[in-house]
Amino acid sequence: MSDLSEVLQLVPVDDIAKKLGIPEDVANAAVKQVLPGLLGGLAANASTSAGSASLEKALSSHTTVPKNVDDIDTADGAKIVKHVFGDNTDKVAAKLADAEPKPNVTMDIIKQVLPIVAPIVLSFIATQFLTPKAAAPEAKKAATPASTGGDLGGMLGGLLADPNTQQMIGGLLGGLLGGGKK
């Protein structure tokens, strides 16, 4: 099963730092604070059949992981963030900025990082969820991912299995996740 470190490896932190004009360590801290929030929001949305179907549809248009910031459609990223968090985007950004007291990781930086990282996260999920695994022949006998919300929810849950991630999502973001339209 994949974890957040695999997703983090795909994020061009140095490009983000350059684009936003911030130090690389600040960009890295912001990305590390954003990832669990995005995944938690996606998991909350995927917890319903309508939300899962909507996410699966979105995955089909995010099958290529961007290699650098210039390859990322941040307007699409902003739509993803709005869909995931809805009217709670500012509140979630504030909670994520306060998740770990890192100097210079402000709500404004989090709000700039979210639409950059969101398409990368969807692309990662798409590659994991939509790509058949040759090493799992019994999975081929099971229902296809598009026909089951449980597979997607299980995959997102696996990404969020780290106890520290669960604590951040449960404690800090609590009722804010899942605020987007499904």
Side-chain angles (χ1 to χ4, degrees):
M1 179 55 59
S2 300
D3 62 19
L4 285 178
S5 64
E6 287 184 54
V7 182
L8 184 59
Q9 291 174 5
L10 298 174
V11 179
V13 174
D14 55 337
D15 278 2
I16 292 172
K18 289 175 191 167
K19 180 161 182 89
L20 301 181
I22 59 177
E24 194 169 326
D25 64 323
V26 173
N28 190 48
V31 168
K32 286 180 177 178
Q33 287 168 237
V34 160
L35 284 175
L38 273 172
L39 289 165
L42 289 166
N45 285 339
S47 67
T48 67
S49 58
S52 183
S54 177
L55 180 54
E56 287 179 30
K57 182 179 175 187
L59 292 179
S60 66
S61 63
H62 291 89
T63 55
T64 303
V65 178
K67 300 291 184 211
N68 59 56
V69 173
D70 292 335
D71 294 340
I72 298 170
D73 179 354
T74 54
D76 180 52
K79 289 177 190 174
I80 295 166
V81 170
K82 178 69 173 170
H83 188 81
V84 171
F85 299 125
D87 293 335
N88 292 323
T89 300
D90 286 345
K91 291 177 186 173
V92 170
K95 291 285 188 182
L96 292 173
D98 292 339
E100 292 193 31
K102 300 277 187 198
N104 303 322
V105 178
T106 64
M107 179 178 144
D108 288 337
I109 290 173
I110 294 291
K111 285 173 63 176
Q112 292 176 66
V113 169
L114 278 167
I116 296 171
V117 174
I120 296 169
V121 169
L122 277 192
S123 296
F124 175 80
I125 294 168
T127 60
Q128 297 294 306
F129 184 68
L130 300 176
T131 304
K133 304 290 184 230
E138 64 277 355
K140 292 179 183 177
K141 296 176 189 170
T144 61
S147 67
T148 62
D151 290 341
L152 183 55
M155 194 203 118
L156 289 168
L159 287 167
L160 298 169
D162 177 65
N164 294 329
T165 302
Q166 290 177 355
Q167 181 179 1
M168 181 188 347
I169 291 171
L172 295 173
L173 301 179
L176 296 177
L177 293 179
K181 298 177 184 113
K182 294 181 179 60

